[in-house]
């Protein structure tokens, strides 16, 4: 199945492979015959090399943008069918090369670098192929498996490796020089894109919002009418919730998932319909819809119906607002309904009612009387006025809020309490009844009782 899908993704794969394999195998056979070498391993290696080049470098139709390469971590190298195919693709040529040359370290270095070269070519050319770090890792794993298996086979068959020290020296030199060249090429020509993380994020969104499109399509039919068809869905993350926006052939609607609560809707046809629906009936339509979809917002709210425009094509604006202790709550629910009873839009803000703070008294009467004294730097005096004792005559105490006659009002011929106090303090004006009389030409000096 995986091979069938790969063949379908690359048009002309089989004919191209057959042609290239025939050319490479023919050339290899001629060279081997001229050097009196066995033909089997070289011809098989040429055929496998043709398959490798055809599968990885033949133009396709599913590539990334030129100059980009997926640099995401190869977390799916053993679970992705494409990666498993790449592993299997590099095992045969690596194994055949090891059996033919008996230099496993050099063969491993060459095939690992060849894998990186293939991905570099895919990224900088318009082949319609995708460059990924995962493919490099998968190809390298396949090459190492092939080399390791062939080395074990050689050991079992008693065939010694050729000059192991020189083999490792050649492998180190090829690995260093080839890695430096590829690193320079990728850094200068290729931009890294973490496609793996993007794909994982998309997959997580699909998993988290599974079923939301079906739910919102049913809600769209409830608003816009039976037969409404969905044309697309958008998903936005908002904290722990998902905002789902569905476009239909009759309007747009949005809601919250997994809460399954609607937020707003707007019909494509915003014109009013001719009909005989009254304002009271429009309120009933809104109430019936709100009772099903917005029960929390409906509870304790006051409904207001207002007519939009005039004439037979007018519409009604139905609003719901809630008050707590005389304070307007932040929730809101609005409907626009035509005279035919069609809902052409609604907006809902389902916000929990905040708890209004309770008024508390934080300053006692005593504290209030002492507060002015703090500003003046002295303790507040009592509200009684004393006249200084002069020549044995003592003035009568007079309370500012009560006259000596016991009346809580100004006596005839007397100033009001506040003005009498002010007059006594400054020593002018008539004093209240019972105030100290002047002694000689000396005026009494009123003092505040300390």
């Amino acid at each position: 199945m995986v091979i069938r899908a790969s063949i379908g993704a690359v048009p002309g794969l089989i004919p191209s492979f057959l042609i290239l394999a025939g050319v490479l195998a023919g050339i290899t056979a001629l060279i081997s015959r001229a050097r009196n070498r066995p033909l089997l391993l070289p011809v098989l290696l040429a055929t496998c090399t043709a398959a490798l080049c055809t599968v990885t470098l033949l133009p396709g139709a599913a590539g990334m943008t030129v100059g980009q390469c997926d640099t995401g971590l190869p977390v799916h190298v053993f679970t992705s069918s494409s990666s498993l195919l790449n592993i299997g693709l590099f095992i045969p040529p690596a194994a055949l090369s090891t059996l033919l040359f008996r230099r496993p370290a050099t063969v491993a270095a060459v095939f690992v670098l060849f894998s990186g070269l293939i991905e570099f070519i895919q990224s900088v050319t318009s082949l319609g192929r995708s460059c990924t770090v995962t493919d490099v890792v998968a190809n390298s794993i396949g090459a190492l498996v092939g080399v390791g298996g062939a080395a074990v086979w050689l050991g079992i068959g008693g065939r010694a490796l050729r000059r192991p020290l020189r083999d490792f020296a050649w492998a180190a030199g090829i690995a260093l020089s080839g890695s430096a060249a590829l690193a320079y090429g990728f850094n200068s020509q290729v931009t890294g894109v973490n496609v793996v993380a993007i794909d994982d994020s998309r997959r997580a969104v699909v998993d988290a919002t599974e079923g939301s499109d079906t739910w919102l399509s049913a809600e769209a039919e409830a608003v816009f009418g039976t037969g409404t068809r969905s044309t697309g869905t958008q998903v936005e993350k908002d904290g722990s919730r998902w905002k789902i926006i569905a476009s239909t052939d009759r309007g747009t609607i949005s809601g919250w998932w997994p809460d399954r609560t609607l937020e707003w809707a707007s019909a494509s046809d915003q014109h009013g319909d001719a009909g005989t629906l009254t304002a009271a009936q429009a309120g009933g339509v809104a109430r019936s819809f709100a009772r099903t979809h917005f029960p929390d917002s409906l509870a304790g709210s006051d409904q207001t119906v207002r007519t939009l425009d005039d004439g037979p094509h007018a519409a009604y604006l139905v609003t719901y607002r809630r008050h707590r202790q005389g304070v307007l709550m932040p929730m809101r629910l609005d409907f626009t309904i035509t005279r035919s009873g069609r809902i052409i839009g609604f907006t809902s803000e389902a916000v929990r009612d905040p708890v209004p703070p309770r008024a508390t008294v934080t300053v006692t009467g005593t504290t209030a009387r002492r507060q002015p004294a703090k500003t003046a730097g002295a303790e507040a005096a009592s509200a009684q006025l004393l006249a200084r004792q002069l020549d044995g005559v003592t003035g009568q105490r007079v309370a500012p809020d009560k006259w000596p006659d016991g009346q809580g009002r100004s006596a005839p011929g007397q100033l009001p309490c506040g003005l009498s106090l002010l007059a006594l303090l400054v020593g002018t004006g008539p004093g209240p009844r019972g105030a100290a009389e002047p002694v000689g030409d000396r005026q009494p000096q009123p003092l505040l009782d300390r």
Side-chain angles (χ1 to χ4, degrees):
M1 182 177 180
V2 175
I3 296 176
R4 189 184 303 115
S6 301
I7 293 175
V10 182
L13 178 63
I14 298 299
S16 300
F17 162 68
L18 294 176
I19 294 173
L20 184 59
V23 172
L24 291 181
I27 294 174
T28 301
L30 291 176
I31 295 175
S32 299
R33 181 64 61 86
R35 299 180 63 179
N36 294 323
R37 298 289 180 85
L39 297 179
L40 181 59
L41 286 180
V43 171
L44 289 176
L45 178 59
T47 304
C48 290
T49 303
L52 184 62
C53 294
T54 304
V55 172
T56 57
L57 297 177
L58 193 68
M64 297 176 60
T65 304
V66 177
Q68 290 186 346
C69 185
D70 176 16
T71 58
L73 295 177
V75 294
H76 304 298
V77 68
F78 293 112
T79 58
S80 170
S81 57
S82 176
S83 297
L84 295 176
L85 180 62
N86 285 335
I87 291 174
L89 188 64
F90 269 71
I91 290 177
L96 291 172
S97 297
T98 303
L99 295 176
L100 181 62
F101 300 108
R102 288 183 288 170
R103 292 177 178 174
T106 301
V107 171
V110 169
F111 272 94
V112 170
L113 291 175
F114 183 51
S115 172
L117 179 62
I118 289 174
E119 299 303 315
F120 177 75
I121 294 173
Q122 289 178 346
S123 65
V124 298
T125 58
S126 302
L127 294 175
R129 311 304 294 271
S130 297
C131 165
T132 68
V133 171
T134 301
D135 286 350
V136 175
V137 174
N139 297 340
S140 301
I141 291 174
L144 294 177
V145 170
V147 170
V152 172
W153 181 262
L154 289 175
I156 294 175
R159 300 181 62 185
L161 302 179
R162 292 178 179 174
R163 298 180 178 180
L165 293 179
R166 180 176 292 186
D167 179 29
F168 280 106
W170 271 97
I174 293 173
L176 290 175
S177 58
S179 299
L182 285 176
Y184 174 78
F186 274 103
N187 288 333
S188 60
Q189 302 294 328
V190 180
T191 301
V193 179
N194 195 342
V195 178
V196 174
I198 296 175
D199 290 342
D200 290 345
S201 178
R202 290 175 178 172
R203 190 176 297 107
V205 171
V206 172
D207 294 340
T209 59
E210 184 178 2
S212 62
D213 51 349
T214 303
W215 162 72
L216 201 55
S217 296
E219 297 294 350
E221 281 197 336
V223 177
F224 303 127
T226 305
T228 301
R229 299 191 311 273
S230 177
T231 58
T233 303
Q234 299 179 9
V235 179
E236 299 176 2
K237 180 72 170 175
D238 187 356
S240 60
R241 304 186 302 171
W242 297 89
K243 184 177 182 179
I244 314 298
I245 304 175
S247 300
T248 72
D249 57 341
R250 297 180 181 177
T252 306
I253 186 171
S254 76
W256 295 103
W257 185 266
D259 304 25
R260 293 176 179 262
T261 57
L262 297 179
E263 182 188 31
W264 59 267
S266 178
S268 302
D269 182 8
Q270 291 288 315
H271 299 287
D273 301 328
T276 60
L277 197 74
T278 64
Q281 291 172 333
V285 172
R287 188 180 301 106
S288 177
F289 190 88
R291 190 178 294 115
T292 303
H293 297 84
F294 310 105
D296 294 338
S297 297
L298 185 63
S301 298
D302 299 322
Q303 184 191 80
T304 303
V305 182
R306 183 164 60 93
T307 304
L308 302 177
D309 207 352
D310 297 322
H313 296 281
Y316 298 102
L317 176 63
V318 184
T319 63
Y320 288 90
R321 298 294 184 268
R322 183 162 55 230
H323 294 78
R324 290 283 187 264
Q325 300 180 18
V327 178
L328 180 63
M329 296 293 100
M331 64 73 54
R332 61 174 297 172
L333 181 59
D334 301 329
F335 292 92
T336 305
I337 301 174
T338 67
R339 286 189 179 271
S340 65
R342 181 171 64 95
I343 298 177
I344 60 177
F346 66 79
T347 302
S348 170
E349 293 185 13
V351 183
R352 289 186 177 182
D353 295 344
V355 179
R358 299 183 61 182
T360 57
V361 178
T362 58
V363 180
T364 62
T366 303
T367 305
R369 288 194 299 270
R370 291 181 177 179
Q371 189 63 33
K374 288 184 178 181
T375 305
E379 182 180 358
S382 65
Q384 293 183 338
L385 190 65
L386 298 179
R388 179 182 296 174
Q389 180 178 352
L390 295 175
D391 298 332
V393 180
T394 304
Q396 181 183 359
R397 293 183 178 182
V398 180
D401 57 345
K402 189 173 182 181
W403 293 99
D405 60 2
Q407 301 295 326
R409 55 181 173 78
S410 300
Q414 302 295 336
L415 292 175
C417 177
L419 295 180
S420 298
L421 292 176
L422 180 62
L424 289 174
L425 289 172
V426 300
T428 61
R433 188 184 305 169
E437 297 294 335
V439 179
D441 57 354
R442 298 174 61 186
Q443 297 294 329
Q445 301 297 322
L447 300 174
L448 290 176
D449 184 22
R450 296 181 182 272

